[in-house]
Structures are given as C-alpha cells and as structure tokens.
C-alpha cells in the first residue's frame, strides 16, 4: 500500500475553497432559477432539449448526457410532462425507446428562464473574473473533465 500524499496548506485552501464556492454558487443559481419556477433539474432538461435539432432526444441519450440514471430522468420527465413542458413519444426509428420532446410551452419557459439564468451566471461568476482568470479556469476545467470523462475509460 502506498503512502498517502496529504494536501499541503495551499492545496487544502484550493480544494476547500473550490468546494465552498461550488456549493454557494450552485445555491445562488438555484435560487435565481426558482424565481422562474424551475429547478436546476428542470432547466438542465429543458436547455439540453432546446439545443438539439427538432428539440427532441432519446431518453437514454439525454440521461447519459446529463449523467443521470435513465430511471431518474424518466421520473423527472413524467413530472415535467404533467406541467406541459415536455412530452414523451415512442421512438420513430425503432419503436422501442422513448423520446423526450420539448413542447411549445417548454420552449417558451426555457427561453424566458435563460435570460435570468445568464444574468445570474454573469453576476455571480463570469463578471467577477478577469479575462486571464477565465482562460485559466477554462484550461483547468477542460483538463479535469478530460480526465474524468467516461469516454476516457473507453480509450484505455
């Protein structure tokens, strides 16, 4: 068994600062989304569907993209369907899978919420950083995402 490389003081500050920042930022963004009557999960589903061609996606693919279980997404889609934001359809290509489709009301909802969401992200995150800090943050996040991405496992 190898020895643990304990975090240095600077490393602890960076790690704890990141965790605290993430918790506070997520909480603030969630509060701001709630003003539009949406949860983070609602916004994630709606915005992901809104960015696809024909505003539709197979539920298994949507779950994978969002890093959710298919079961969790299916339950959430059911609740969103009751609110008229999405509908569930059979897959036209094979008839076996289900497809989540953004409704006109869902489109209107995400379009309206996007304005407030972007304002919130700017106010509480983007506009607090310099251009250099944004470049550094982009490099750091891309490096970590590449390391943790499920597609990395397939390459090994």
């Amino acid at each position: 068994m190898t020895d643990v490389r304990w975090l240095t003081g600077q490393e602890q500050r960076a790690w704890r600062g990141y965790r605290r920042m993430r918790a506070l930022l997520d909480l603030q963004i969630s509060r701001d989304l709630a003003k539009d009557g949406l949860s983070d999960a609602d916004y994630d589903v709606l915005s992901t569907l809104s960015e696809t061609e024909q505003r539709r996606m197979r539920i298994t693919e949507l779950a994978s993209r969002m890093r959710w279980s298919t079961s969790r997404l299916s339950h959430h889609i059911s609740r969103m369907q009751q609110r008229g934001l999405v509908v569930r359809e059979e897959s036209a290509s094979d008839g076996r899978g289900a497809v989540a489709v953004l409704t006109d009301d869902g489109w209107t909802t995400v379009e309206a919420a996007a304005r407030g969401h972007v304002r919130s992200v700017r106010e509480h995150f983007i506009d607090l950083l310099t251009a250099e800090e944004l470049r550094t943050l982009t490099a750091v996040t891309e490096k970590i995402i590449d390391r943790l991405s499920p597609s990395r496992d397939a390459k090994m």
Side-chain angles (χ1 to χ4, degrees), residues 59-83:
I59 288 180
T60 53
E61 183 183 345
L62 182 59
S64 177
R65 186 172 295 182
M66 294 176 63
R67 306 290 190 255
W68 286 17
S69 71
T70 303
S71 175
R72 176 184 177 197
L73 180 61
S74 184
H75 288 300
H76 196 80
I77 292 288
S78 293
R79 290 188 296 275
M80 294 179 75
Q81 194 167 0
Q82 291 172 349
R83 293 164 47 207

Side-chain angles (χ1 to χ4, degrees), residues 2-70:
T2 61
D3 288 333
V4 174
R5 287 184 42 223
W6 295 105
L7 300 179
T8 66
Q10 177 61 46
E11 290 166 340
Q12 284 183 34
R13 278 187 63 219
W15 175 244
R16 290 180 182 157
Y18 162 76
R19 293 197 38 134
R20 181 77 173 142
M21 176 203 69
R22 188 186 72 199
L24 291 170
L25 185 59
D26 286 349
L27 181 61
Q28 184 62 55
I29 299 297
S30 294
R31 283 182 189 141
D32 291 344
L33 275 173
K35 292 174 188 173
D36 288 316
L38 296 175
S39 67
D40 283 333
D42 292 337
Y43 189 79
D44 286 347
V45 169
L46 294 174
S47 63
T48 302
L49 288 175
S50 75
E51 294 167 355
T52 65
E53 191 173 322
Q54 299 179 343
R55 302 178 191 154
R56 63 179 51 237
M57 186 180 288
R58 240 184 134 90
I59 288 180
T60 53
E61 183 183 345
L62 182 59
S64 177
R65 186 172 295 182
M66 294 176 63
R67 306 290 190 255
W68 286 17
S69 71
T70 303

Side-chain angles (χ1 to χ4, degrees), residues 126 129-143:
I126 299 296
L129 304 175
T130 66
E132 182 59 31
E133 289 167 333
L134 281 171
R135 282 190 292 278
T136 299
L137 181 62
T138 300
V140 168
T141 57
E142 288 175 353
K143 183 178 200 175

